[in-house]
Amino acid sequence: MGHLKQHPLITTRERLRDQVAHALRAAMISGELRPGQVYSAPGLAEDFGVSATPVREAMLDLAREGLVEPVRNKGFRVTEVTESDLDQYTEIRALIEIPTVGRVTRTATRDELEALRPVAEEIVRAARAHDLIGYLEADRRFHLALLTLCGNDRLVETVGGLRKRTRLYGLSALDERDRLIPSAEEHLELLSLMLAGDAEGAERCMRRHLGHVRSLWAKSD
């Protein structure tokens, strides 16, 4: 008990499991649940005011995403992401996303690209409003929707999995220093280049964006 600050009451309108998982992600983003620490399902359940069962189920969902790992007879440990991990994840994303952006620039219709604009604008609004969960969700939707335009579902799944393993760490500290806003605005720059048909420029922008994101992680400690 006492791991988390006061959270809104969990209602029955959604599955408790999903609501608990959402609350746990929010606690990771805020730093209330810290990498390397072990947390018990009963203790977290008491914080949330629910039984331990939906907490265990939510933790198992997060374990499948690589965000936590089970610790026998103790609970779950929040996964630590090393600098080497971040370098490797970023390298894989660059190998996939940079050429894919060029390809989509050449093949997508203007309407398909314009459909991404509201999400790009949502990312910027969330960053300026210090809405970290909204920022992460909009950022995820933009990148995966963009990649979906290439028509390769496995590629989208791969990038989605990599994002889940890195997206929670250090954002609270970065947000406090307003360092998320420039990264958020790069989504609009990227979209403008794609709409102009500048495939090479879009690839350069994506390369810079991924490098920018990686440098932000490095400065988040």
Side-chain angles (χ1 to χ4, degrees):
M1 182 178 178
H3 296 304
L4 306 180
K5 300 174 185 177
Q6 185 175 3
H7 284 262
L9 291 177
I10 293 176
T11 69
T12 57
R13 287 182 298 177
E14 298 178 60
R15 288 194 307 163
L16 284 178
R17 174 179 188 157
D18 294 339
Q19 287 193 314
V20 170
H22 181 79
L24 290 171
R25 290 188 181 93
M28 290 179 188
I29 293 168
S30 69
E32 295 175 69
L33 296 181
R34 302 192 63 80
Q37 296 295 311
V38 177
Y39 299 92
S40 71
L44 292 171
E46 194 167 348
D47 288 331
F48 287 128
V50 299
S51 70
T53 297
V55 176
R56 289 194 186 93
E57 292 174 342
M59 283 292 199
L60 289 172
D61 288 340
L62 298 186
R64 282 189 282 272
E65 296 177 9
L67 297 178
V68 301
E69 54 188 5
V71 179
R72 187 180 177 90
N73 298 325
K74 291 186 178 181
F76 296 84
R77 178 185 292 111
V78 179
T79 304
E80 295 185 86
V81 179
T82 68
E83 292 296 311
S84 177
D85 290 332
L86 293 174
D87 285 340
Q88 291 177 34
Y89 295 152
T90 302
E91 181 179 3
I92 296 170
R93 285 189 62 185
L95 289 171
I96 294 173
E97 294 188 64
I98 292 171
T100 300
V101 160
R103 174 182 167 189
V104 170
T105 299
R106 297 181 182 95
T107 60
T109 67
R110 187 171 188 84
D111 286 345
E112 288 174 329
L113 294 174
E114 281 290 358
L116 298 173
R117 186 178 298 280
V119 189
E121 293 172 343
E122 185 180 343
I123 297 169
V124 176
R125 286 197 302 272
R128 290 175 176 168
H130 305 285
D131 176 6
L132 290 179
I133 294 179
Y135 171 88
L136 288 170
E137 175 58 21
D139 182 75
R140 180 192 68 82
R141 284 189 282 116
F142 178 90
H143 280 271
L144 298 188
L146 190 160
L147 294 175
T148 297
L149 295 177
C150 80
N152 187 328
D153 294 340
R154 302 292 83 77
L155 180 152
V156 177
E157 288 176 5
T158 298
V159 173
L162 292 170
R163 289 175 59 85
K164 287 177 181 177
R165 293 176 179 272
T166 58
R167 66 195 181 96
L168 298 178
Y169 300 98
L171 288 186
S172 183
L174 294 172
D175 176 59
E176 290 172 1
R177 302 196 294 271
D178 286 331
R179 297 188 67 91
L180 294 181
I181 296 174
S183 179
E185 291 174 340
E186 286 174 342
H187 297 85
L188 288 169
E189 178 186 353
L190 174 65
L191 185 57
S192 293
L193 289 166
M194 297 179 74
L195 284 164
D198 186 351
E200 292 183 1
E203 290 181 358
R204 287 194 298 270
C205 183
M206 178 59 82
R207 181 178 293 107
R208 174 163 41 87
H209 178 64
L210 292 176
H212 188 185
V213 170
R214 179 62 187 94
S215 68
L216 288 178
W217 294 125
K219 298 173 182 176
S220 66
D221 297 333

